[in-house]
Amino acid sequence: MPTDFSILGHKLASRCGILELMDDLGQAMTTDPTMRMLGGGNPAHIPAVQAIWRERMAAMLADGGAYDRMLANYDAPRGNPHFLNALAEFLQAECGWAVKPENLAVTPGGQTALFMLFNLLGGPSPSGQMKRILLPLVPEYIGYENQGTSADFFIACRPIIERLPGNVFKYHVDFEAVAQALKQGVAALCISRPTNPSGNVLSDAEVQRLSDMANEHGVPFIIDGAYGLPFPGAIFSNAQPLWNENIVLTLSLSKLGLPGTRTGIVVATPEIAAAIAAMTAVIGLANTNIGQQLALPLLQNRSLGALSREVIRPFYEQRSQLAQTVLHEAFGRAHVPYAVHRSEGAFFLWLWLPGLPIATRELYRRLKARKVLVVPGEYFFYGLGEGGEAWEHQRQCLRLTFSQAPEIVREGIEIIADEVAKL
Ligand code: PLP
């Protein structure tokens, strides 16, 4: 007999997009080496970066005391004090922000940071009003969708789509739509920058304007910097990092090549950072401390900034260019209408197939049968409310990661173009 789950239990335990994506990713990365993994957001194994983490681990092992303390002690829920100090100083020096350890909290990954923030701020308020999280631009990260613990948690705005020469397009924030949505009483605004899935990077002007609008309405503005600034720096445009007391910035060590350490960071007001530390204590007592210890000296000697700028950014930018070349060649040969979002950051190409006669979930299934994993675009469009369904663009996009080996990416894209041409 099936167990009676609560409403929240059903919501969190349902078979959803992020579960399918992470299951597929986990299988492909462990037990199915024949799968061409253009699916999840796994970071690339960059040899120069891996060497650093290996060296750090060896140094910790050699210093038995440090290694033993790392494994045998719980950290305080907010994070390791040495890590918090070093991070605050790093953010002051790299970005010029007046950040102190009180402005920081470590979490078990950026994903958990966002779960905590959304539910700290959004949902039914003490006054009884339902306050939702406003996504100023969808498509937006698949991993947020099921994180709200009450129904109808997100409200989202469609973007303005600019068509560019050479089968390229770009999303821009529709500020009119954002202004209308803000009238409905929201808890916070949230963007990922760079955006997963599109590889869009909202311009400094767009981010500043959203920050001003959030300020005017007295609500926080969450910027998810999982791929962004100041680390890992997978941004190929001229964007600057932005933080102020009304911005809640989330960062992660994952895309620095450390997803296995599950280390996220919240940069916020002391009030919000303390609330996140309290939530960590309730949910998990403390954080994993391995990532914090691995990264500590790179924060202290500031080399994490240079690593991001000089190694990580050029690596992904080159991978992106390679994937774009392959994509334009393959789809050019296939003679199907297509466009790709301008690649400004993160690990993905966002492909738009305006004439696609089948759902992208069906295309995903057919491609999986041909040993190519992608992520169907439908998952990234949510919170659009009544009338959202009518927007056909949401059924015409696919997300492909270019972080895996170039030959895998080439083969995968060629198979996708071949499959689409047959439809
Ligand atoms: N935010 C975005 C936009 C992501 O793509 C991801 C992971 O892919 C995360 C947050 C969470 O990453 P992690 O929990 O590994 O820090």
Side-chain angles (χ1 to χ4, degrees), residues 41 108-112 114 141 144 192 194 196 224 226-227 251-255 259 262-264 348:
Q111 184 75 11
T112 313
L114 288 149
Y141 176 43
Y144 303 151
S192 55
N196 175 356
D224 175 354
Y227 301 85
L251 295 170
S252 169
L253 301 188
S254 293
K255 315 301 177 183
R262 313 303 308 125
T263 315
F348 314 106

Side-chain angles (χ1 to χ4, degrees), residues 36-56:
R36 296 171 192 88
M37 222 294 290
L38 274 55
N42 212 78
H45 296 182
I46 306 175
V49 177
Q50 283 181 299
I52 290 173
W53 301 132
R54 234 184 274 122
E55 253 170 51
R56 275 292 302 136

Side-chain angles (χ1 to χ4, degrees), residues 26 89 95 134 159 166 377 401:
E89 281 173 16
C95 308
L134 169 58
T401 176

Side-chain angles (χ1 to χ4, degrees), residues 363-377:
L363 181 55
Y364 155 83
R365 275 189 283 275
R366 294 186 193 184
L367 290 170
K368 193 172 171 183
R370 292 183 69 181
K371 294 281 179 196
V372 181
L373 271 188
V374 298
V375 184

